[in-house]
Amino acid sequence: MRVLIGAAVLVALAVWVGTDAVLAGLAAIDPPAVLAALAVGLLTTLCAAGRWCLVARGLGLALPFATAVADTYRAVALNSVLPAGVLGDVHRAVAHGRADGRGLRAVVLERTAGQAVVVVAGLLVLLAQPVLLGGLLPGFAVGAGLLLAASRVPRVRSLLVPFLVDVRRFTARTALAVVALSLTALAGYLVLFVVAARAAGVTAPVGELLPLLVVALLAMVLPLNVGGFGPREAAGTVAFSAAGLGAAQGLTTAVVYGVLGMIACLPGLAVLLRPVPRPEPLPC
């Protein structure tokens, strides 16, 4: 159902804005943009891998940094080509799972930490930009309603308890390091979005673009996409239109970002068939 909703969003955008914006976006990608995507992809992958190692260590698991980098690249590559945008992380969680569930919970907590920073940043932007809030509120309300309904299911609520217990185990130093890595990764995503905007021909100042780009990143948190495409393009289109930059430029920028994001995770294909070692408990 989530995949169908994401596909319906893309179809609606194509009808509203037209396919010319998508074709223009694909044609705008040049070698400098590709190199920037690979560099940003390396930065964000290193941040995510470091965050994963910190979380795993907080749960008493030893996860080598090199292994974390390789498996994070693989997960991002799978996320970018498979429906729902989370199946790579599902594969990572299952591969590193242990009988006591710590390996799985480490992956979930790592991903949640990264998304939490994006959500907080996006909400702050929406609160500071009433025009954006009014245009995007219906879509975010639907997504938030779906997540809230899921959280009220007894089975889901019972699964959340172990994660809350795990969070309480982390030291303040570990929590601060996780937040710092998440903020660095967020900065990398925004840099790539600016590269996408410039490639799409957007000439607005960076200060004017950043709130719109943060909102587009916030939309990516909603699990209603096809390989990452769907809510991001909708949010970008509406946000650019509300800011007076044009719906077509918003869609083009979001599409370019999506393609650059897929290019950024290409190194993950090199480790796609690499066996995944299970993390070992730390010595007492």
Side-chain angles (χ1 to χ4, degrees), residues 150-229:
S151 68
R152 291 184 177 275
V153 177
R155 175 60 177 165
V156 174
R157 295 176 65 179
S158 67
L159 291 175
L160 292 177
V161 174
F163 294 102
L164 298 177
V165 173
D166 289 337
V167 170
R168 296 179 62 181
R169 295 179 182 174
F170 298 145
T171 64
R173 184 175 181 179
T174 297
L176 288 175
V178 168
V179 171
L181 288 171
S182 300
L183 289 173
T184 304
L186 174 60
Y189 299 141
L190 292 176
V191 167
L192 187 58
F193 238 130
V194 171
V195 171
R198 293 296 185 243
V202 180
T203 58
V206 173
E208 185 178 346
L209 283 176
L210 286 181
L212 312 181
L213 305 182
V214 171
V215 168
L217 284 176
L218 175 60
M220 293 178 64
V221 176
L222 298 176
L224 308 169
N225 59 74
V226 181
F229 291 88

Side-chain angles (χ1 to χ4, degrees), residues 4 26 33 35 59 64 98 113 121 131 140 149 155 166 187 210 224 226 230 234 254 272:
L4 291 177
L26 297 177
L35 293 176
L59 299 183
R98 297 179 57 87
V131 175
F140 282 116
R155 175 60 177 165
D166 289 337
L210 286 181
L224 308 169
V226 181
L272 198 55

Side-chain angles (χ1 to χ4, degrees), residues 52 62-64 66-75 78 87-98 103-104 107 268 270-280:
W52 186 15
L63 178 63
T67 299
V69 172
D71 293 345
T72 300
Y73 255 128
R74 174 182 11 217
L78 291 174
L87 295 182
D89 291 300
V90 172
H91 175 270
R92 179 166 57 120
V94 172
H96 283 268
R98 297 179 57 87
L104 185 149
V107 173
V271 295
L272 198 55
L273 300 178
R274 175 177 175 271
V276 184
R278 294 178 181 272
E280 298 297 329

